[in-house]
Amino acid sequence: MIDLYTAATPNGHKVSIALEELGLPYTLKVLDLSQAEQKRPEFLAINPNGRIPALVDRDEGDFAVFESGACLIYLAEKTGQLMPPDAKGRSRVLQWLMFQMGGIGPMMGQANVFYRYFPEKIPSVIERYQGETKRLFRVLDGHLKDHEFLAGDYSIADIANWAWVRTHRWSGVAMDDLPHLKRWRDQLRARPAVQRGIEQPPSALDARVDDPAKAQAFTDNARKMLERGQSIQSGV
């Protein structure tokens, strides 16, 4: 049995989607980020960085894994699924996983902060992070023009990138001119395991629907977290 410490964020949903795809039994342990539960000593003993997600594999002597990408790799290697066993196939998956970890996630995260949460709107900064996010989206779109998935068969690389790309509206980045990326986004969302995974736990906002009242409430709460110096991720 695996304990998943998580919240309704793209990084959290990466791991819940993978667990659903792999059919592994797990216990959901949702942390309230607004109450800084991820900074409490009992969680810091699992993840010294005080961020979600993290998992504890009870079947492996309570082995703890933190960082979303590391969690995905651990689960893929534990089960022999969602990542090829050969060196080249594994490398392709890890390349696109690192693309998300080093690019898509950080750029969209900063776009969220300055576009949605930061009290002072700084156009040049917003344009910087939205522009870099769009550039990365174009890279994905260009690759997906000739590939059904990012790295051969469906893999943890697709899960990781999709969990963030699906929230593009919250970052203020359009996808209307990226047909291959849209096809891939919709294709993955149709998977039953993906649909279950993004409900573990459910997001505060539906990434596909404009709801000004809910968006404002979410933004206000996130801004309070920002003022307290806490790390913020999109919850849509």
Side-chain angles (χ1 to χ4, degrees), residues 112-179:
N112 294 341
V113 168
F114 289 102
Y115 179 63
R116 295 284 184 178
Y117 312 138
F118 205 67
E120 179 185 357
K121 299 302 180 186
I122 309 173
S124 60
V125 175
I126 294 171
E127 290 170 7
R128 152 73 175 137
Y129 289 115
Q130 288 180 336
E132 181 61 7
T133 296
K134 188 61 178 277
R135 185 191 72 79
L136 294 169
F137 279 12
R138 291 193 187 100
V139 173
L140 289 172
D141 186 71
H143 182 72
L144 290 165
K145 179 180 179 181
D146 300 313
H147 301 84
E148 183 178 10
F149 301 112
L150 290 176
D153 293 333
Y154 178 64
S155 71
I156 57 173
D158 296 288
I159 292 171
N161 281 275
W162 184 88
W164 277 95
V165 169
R166 68 180 284 263
T167 70
H168 67 97
R169 289 162 60 103
W170 193 249
S171 302
V173 179
M175 283 177 47
D176 295 341
D177 58 337
L178 303 173

Side-chain angles (χ1 to χ4, degrees), residues 11 14-15 47 49 51-55 65-73 101:
N11 282 340
K14 289 183 203 174
V15 183
N47 180 2
N49 195 33
R51 302 286 294 275
I52 64 93
L55 62 82
V65 185
F66 67 91
E67 288 295 325
S68 59
C71 291
L72 292 176
I73 295 169
M101 298 291 294

Side-chain angles (χ1 to χ4, degrees), residues 38 54 69-70 78 81 96 110 124 163 171-172 230 233:
Q38 75 277 21
K78 176 183 176 72
Q81 299 179 59
W96 285 106
Q110 291 300 318
S124 60
S171 302
Q230 294 176 220
Q233 300 178 68

Side-chain angles (χ1 to χ4, degrees), residues 7-21:
T9 73
N11 282 340
H13 285 150
K14 289 183 203 174
V15 183
S16 55
I17 290 170
L19 285 164
E20 291 290 340
E21 289 281 10

Side-chain angles (χ1 to χ4, degrees), residues 10-52:
N11 282 340
H13 285 150
K14 289 183 203 174
V15 183
S16 55
I17 290 170
L19 285 164
E20 291 290 340
E21 289 281 10
L22 294 167
L24 290 172
Y26 66 99
T27 300
L28 199 67
K29 296 184 178 294
V30 181
L31 301 186
D32 186 342
L33 304 186
S34 68
Q35 298 301 313
E37 290 183 354
Q38 75 277 21
K39 303 299 182 183
R40 293 178 180 176
E42 56 268 30
F43 183 68
L44 292 176
I46 296 169
N47 180 2
N49 195 33
R51 302 286 294 275
I52 64 93

